[in-house]
Amino acid sequence: MKKHIIGLLLLVASSLLVIPSFNLFWSDRASTFDWTDPAALYNVDFGRRLLSDVLVPLGISVDPSNVIVGRNGWFFLGDAYARGVSEQRRIPDEADRERGMEISRTAREWQYALCQAGIKAYKIIVGPNKSEIYAEKAPSWMKAPSPSVADTFMGELGPQYVDVRQALADAAKQSHVPLYYPTDSHWNRLGAGVAFRTFAEQTARDLPDIRWPSPESYLASGRQARSAGDLAAFLNLQRDYSEWEELPSPPIRALRITQIDWRSGKPLLSGPNQPVPRWSTPILVRSPDALNQRRVLWLRDSFGTNMSPYMSQTFSDILQLHWSEGMKPEVLKELVDGFKPDYVFVTVVERDARNEAFSKPLILPGVNGHAKETDKPIAATLHSVHDVVVSDQNSGFAISGPDPSLVFDLPNGTAGSDKTHVKIDLNCQSQSQPVQLQMFWATNMAAGFNEARSIRLTYDPSKPLYPLHLLDSGLAGERLTKLRVDVDSPAVCSKFDLAPPVLVAVSPHSEVCN
């Protein structure tokens, strides 16, 4: 028994010597190793690397939740990221179409609200998952059905979205150089260039005065080796793999940029127009010699890194922040009010494009009361109330319960159009802060009220017009039958006067964001 104990102690002691020795002299990190750090001395990641050396050639990942082993040295993200693999493989359903419609509606709300703040363009660039563009490099079991979940979802998105999938798929077939890194989850400079060029072509229709990079800007001027990417790192195979990085073109290299901490004003970096990594705090990137002296708020993820040199070549002042932070209402207000951008752009990888941040309802501002009305206004009539007492000739009201709402009829099924606005005239008798309302509409094609056909608003008597046509793409082909107004802040406004809502067709040339 004593011999067994001594043997065990010797085995433990030898392990305590062997593991640090391996990390000091043979590990991938030997050149930068901190021998004073016990955690580094006894790190056993080398075991994963040794196991990966054996299993990866057989197509087996030691960390399948993070990395799927593909063909010919290609790796792909696993299900740990937004269940990307499972979502890609499953058959699309009606919920995917409805999700696309919901997010498209929210994008229209964002566009309208930002326009009211003086912003001239709002675009969202969706970066395709690597496994969609290079499906032939992935295991056959990862193949997406046709149509895929992405096809169904993206097919419902409106003109605010820039879909670069087809451009990248076509370019990948023609290029002898990959557009994504084989050992990384991101597109490389060439892939980012294809995406930016597609973005430029589509956005140029809305911004005809903007100068965009020349075709020469998208060419590579050479190549250099680079270390293996994030997927190889998951498997501890950084030393076993390397890949090529395409060098930027002369028009890109000639530009110099400065990175500044926007909140403090502190300069962080100045130098060549290199890719800017993603930041969790607002970073202002300035390029004085850019093609356009314009200010851009760019809410982006890591797919924006290799796009950033093209963005800096195009726009002189770019405030960059990760979209998960920048799309928070209080942060967005700070950035828009403080930076006063000309344009707002978003870059998000496809697997995150369905994130709840992209469908979160906005409290919309109204349009000023001086907009030019093109047709005779159509007034609604009170039909019924809930948790509300009518106190004065159908226009004076007092809240009597927790869920106050008023339903109004529209005469003869009023035709909707691409100019339809609703005009609200409300006077709160006990107002101490802004009144929050939610307005619903029903049509001959959809008789009931639902969240998809509603608008949340903060009532401002100086801006009483609200654009139904921008929020409901099918409105122009239907007839409006009813409106419902919910008071979302009954404690703020327990007694109020509300004239019957009025439908107004407003000229697109008046002071309205269309």
Side-chain angles (χ1 to χ4, degrees):
M1 183 67 179
K2 185 177 180 180
K3 291 182 179 180
H4 288 299
I5 295 174
I6 293 173
L8 179 61
L9 292 175
L10 288 173
L11 179 62
V12 171
S14 62
S15 298
L16 293 176
L17 293 173
V18 169
I19 293 174
S21 298
F22 187 92
N23 283 320
L24 278 168
F25 300 106
W26 293 291
S27 79
D28 292 339
R29 300 171 293 117
S31 61
T32 59
F33 192 81
D34 182 4
W35 62 271
T36 63
D37 182 2
L41 280 172
Y42 291 98
N43 187 294
V44 293
D45 282 350
F46 66 86
R48 172 177 290 206
R49 181 193 163 199
L50 294 175
L51 195 58
S52 290
D53 282 338
V54 174
L55 295 180
V56 166
L58 302 176
I60 301 172
S61 171
V62 299
D63 189 3
S65 64
N66 281 313
V67 185
I68 302 297
V69 177
R71 298 182 173 94
N72 303 322
W74 281 67
F75 300 140
F76 298 86
L77 272 180
D79 244 11
Y81 294 83
R83 299 187 72 251
V85 176
S86 296
E87 287 296 298
Q88 177 174 304
R89 296 179 65 202
R90 71 175 175 84
I91 303 295
D93 54 28
E94 183 63 17
D96 297 307
R97 190 182 72 84
E98 292 176 355
R99 184 64 172 158
M101 293 173 63
E102 180 185 16
I103 287 179
S104 181
R105 176 182 175 278
T106 301
R108 292 195 298 271
E109 290 184 353
W110 273 70
Q111 181 184 43
Y112 173 77
L114 292 170
C115 180
Q116 291 297 307
I119 291 162
K120 302 176 184 67
Y122 174 59
K123 294 289 183 181
I124 304 167
I125 310 151
V126 179
N129 297 335
K130 174 181 170 181
S131 54
E132 181 173 1
I133 303 303
Y134 286 100
E136 74 280 4
K137 300 292 187 180
S140 58
W141 58 264
M142 279 183 66
K143 185 177 179 181
S146 181
S148 65
V149 169
D151 293 333
T152 304
F153 168 76
M154 297 284 288
E156 298 297 333
L157 301 181
Q160 298 81 13
Y161 277 81
V162 180
D163 187 353
V164 301
R165 292 179 302 159
Q166 191 60 54
L168 278 162
D170 292 344
K173 292 175 182 177
Q174 298 171 9
S175 176
H176 67 281
V177 178
L179 306 183
Y180 283 65
Y181 299 115
T183 69
D184 197 285
S185 57
H186 300 87
W187 53 30
N188 56 26
R189 291 180 191 268
L190 294 182
V194 172
F196 190 87
R197 193 169 189 172
T198 306
F199 160 71
E201 290 169 354
Q202 295 189 24
T203 307
R205 304 166 194 165
D206 301 324
L207 302 174
D209 60 325
I210 291 298
R211 297 170 59 203
W212 298 96
S214 65
E216 291 74 21
S217 295
Y218 300 103
L219 301 177
S221 61
R223 62 193 320 209
Q224 64 182 14
R226 69 162 233 151
S227 301
D230 55 3
L231 299 178
F234 280 126
L235 303 175
N236 293 94
L237 292 177
Q238 304 96 307
R239 196 169 71 175
D240 293 3
Y241 288 82
S242 63
E243 52 203 8
W244 293 103
E245 177 78 85
E246 304 304 310
L247 297 175
S249 64
I252 294 288
R253 292 204 316 268
L255 206 67
R256 295 188 65 82
I257 62 172
T258 301
Q259 299 180 41
I260 301 167
D261 184 307
W262 181 67
R263 288 192 173 115
S264 70
K266 179 182 177 181
L268 300 174
L269 185 66
S270 182
N273 184 18
Q274 295 291 333
V276 177
R278 70 176 188 179
W279 288 84
S280 57
T281 58
I283 297 299
L284 177 60
V285 179
R286 283 185 170 155
S287 47
D289 296 325
L291 295 171
N292 306 277
Q293 299 300 306
R294 296 287 192 277
R295 301 167 73 84
V296 171
L297 172 58
W298 189 17
L299 306 177
R300 44 152 291 198
D301 57 16
S302 53
F303 267 63
T305 299
N306 275 327
M307 286 186 74
S308 62
Y310 302 105
M311 198 72 80
S312 293
Q313 185 189 13
T314 310
F315 303 105
S316 61
D317 295 80
I318 307 169
L319 185 57
Q320 304 187 23
L321 180 63
H322 196 279
W323 57 260
S324 63
E325 180 68 17
M327 294 180 80
K328 295 176 181 177
E330 67 279 6
V331 177
L332 181 67
K333 185 178 189 317
E334 175 198 8
L335 302 177
V336 170
D337 291 349
F339 184 58
K340 294 181 171 48
D342 298 297
Y343 318 118
V344 174
F345 302 140
V346 180
T347 300
V348 58
V349 65
E350 181 186 306
R351 58 183 167 271
D352 287 332
R354 286 171 288 178
N355 186 281
E356 63 179 9
F358 294 92
S359 60
K360 190 173 183 179
L362 286 178
I363 304 298
L364 292 184
V367 179
N368 67 61
H370 304 293
K372 182 180 178 182
E373 299 173 11
T374 59
D375 298 311
K376 183 179 179 181
I378 300 171
T381 56
L382 184 66
H383 176 273
S384 61
V385 298
H386 181 266
D387 283 348
V388 172
V389 175
V390 182
S391 59
D392 181 21
Q393 297 181 350
N394 286 352
S395 62
F397 305 94
I399 292 175
S400 59
D403 190 22
S405 64
L406 304 92
V407 177
F408 297 87
D409 288 324
L410 289 164
N412 301 320
T414 304
S417 77
D418 59 0
K419 304 174 186 176
T420 301
H421 288 63
V422 172
K423 192 172 188 177
I424 300 291
D425 183 4
L426 181 144
N427 177 36
C428 184
Q429 299 176 16
S430 57
Q431 182 176 355
S432 59
Q433 52 185 305
V435 180
Q436 306 292 327
L437 304 175
Q438 185 172 9
M439 183 166 54
F440 298 79
W441 53 96
T443 73
N444 61 319
M445 302 296 291
F449 296 114
N450 62 74
E451 291 285 335
R453 287 188 144 175
S454 73
I455 176 175
R456 297 179 187 271
L457 56 99
T458 300
Y459 180 69
D460 180 349
S462 69
K463 296 182 177 181
L465 293 169
Y466 297 91
L468 301 194
H469 72 289
L470 287 179
L471 308 178
D472 193 339
S473 57
L475 191 63
E478 301 179 25
R479 303 186 75 82
L480 290 156
T481 56
K482 292 182 184 297
L483 297 172
R484 191 181 94 196
V485 178
D486 291 5
V487 182
D488 285 351
S489 50
V492 173
C493 187
S494 59
K495 291 184 178 181
F496 57 93
D497 298 317
L498 176 64
V502 175
L503 284 187
V504 177
V506 176
S507 168
H509 300 293
S510 59
E511 299 177 52
V512 181
C513 292
N514 285 275

